[in-house]
Every structure is written in C-alpha cells, then in structure tokens.
Amino acid sequence: QVQLVESGGGLVQAGGSLRLSCAASGLTFSRYAMGWFRQAPGKEREFVTAISRSGANTYYADSVKGRFTISRDNAKNTVYLQMNSLKPEDTAVYYCAADQALIVRVASNEYDYWGQGTQVTVSS
C-alpha cells in the first residue's frame, strides 16, 4: 500500500520559512517523479513544483520561483520543500504527489499517488 505522508506545516509570519517533508512508502521511490501542489480555501489545487526521479531536473510555478526549493533523498524515500520569504498568499494545504513518468509534469491528473496534505498558514 502506497503512502505519502507530509509533515512540517504550521503557522509562520510573512517573510519566514518552513520546510515541508513528504515520506513515501510502499513504492519504489526512485522510480517516481515527485511534485508539490497546494490548495487554498475556495480555490482549485495548483502546481507548485516538481522534481525528476534522480533529482536532476526541477520545475517551479512562477509564483514560487526563487523562494521555494524542492529536493529529494532517494535513500530516505523523502522529498522536501524548502519555503523561504513566505507570503500570506502562500497559505494553503500543501500536498505531495508521486508520478511514474520519466519527465516532470505539472498537471495534477497525471500523478498517481497523493498525500493527505499539511496546512501552511502565513500571517501578515
């Protein structure tokens, strides 16, 4: 049974930082590209960033480019999202997802497995 478990969310002031983690089990982690998505209240789920199987390739939404960094540790079956210079508009539930594709993709419907999400709240 595949499980993706996010952690590291919380409440932070604008300008602060958080580091999210997503621990995967029940799948061969190195054979999956990994992505982070987020969903704010009343809005659709949106792509944040993704990383290829090896970690060599990454892609970011324009809204987070230069502030967020995705990374992975295949030995630990974990993907990370370092979030700096947080803004109130970053407030959302953040989800990690696994995609068996060889390339990095941004469409949520391409991803095979999803975590339950972790809440990130940025106060102004």
Side-chain angles (χ1 to χ4, degrees), residues 6-58:
E6 302 96 336
S7 61
L11 174 64
V12 64
Q13 287 189 333
S17 298
L18 281 175
R19 188 194 194 203
L20 305 184
S21 299
C22 171
S25 60
L27 76 171
T28 304
F29 185 70
S30 60
R31 293 183 180 177
Y32 286 80
M34 298 297 296
W36 287 96
F37 293 77
R38 66 187 182 186
Q39 188 166 18
K43 295 188 177 182
E44 292 188 353
R45 190 171 298 188
E46 65 173 357
F47 171 82
V48 177
T49 180
I51 188 167
S52 61
R53 295 177 174 190
S54 67
N57 296 304
T58 59

Side-chain angles (χ1 to χ4, degrees), residues 18 38 48-49 60 63-70 81-87 90 94 120:
L18 281 175
R38 66 187 182 186
V48 177
T49 180
Y60 296 89
S63 59
V64 306
K65 201 172 295 183
R67 299 189 298 122
F68 290 11
T69 302
I70 188 171
L81 181 61
Q82 178 67 43
M83 304 186 296
N84 298 330
S85 302
L86 282 161
K87 305 175 181 179
D90 294 319
Y94 283 71
V120 171

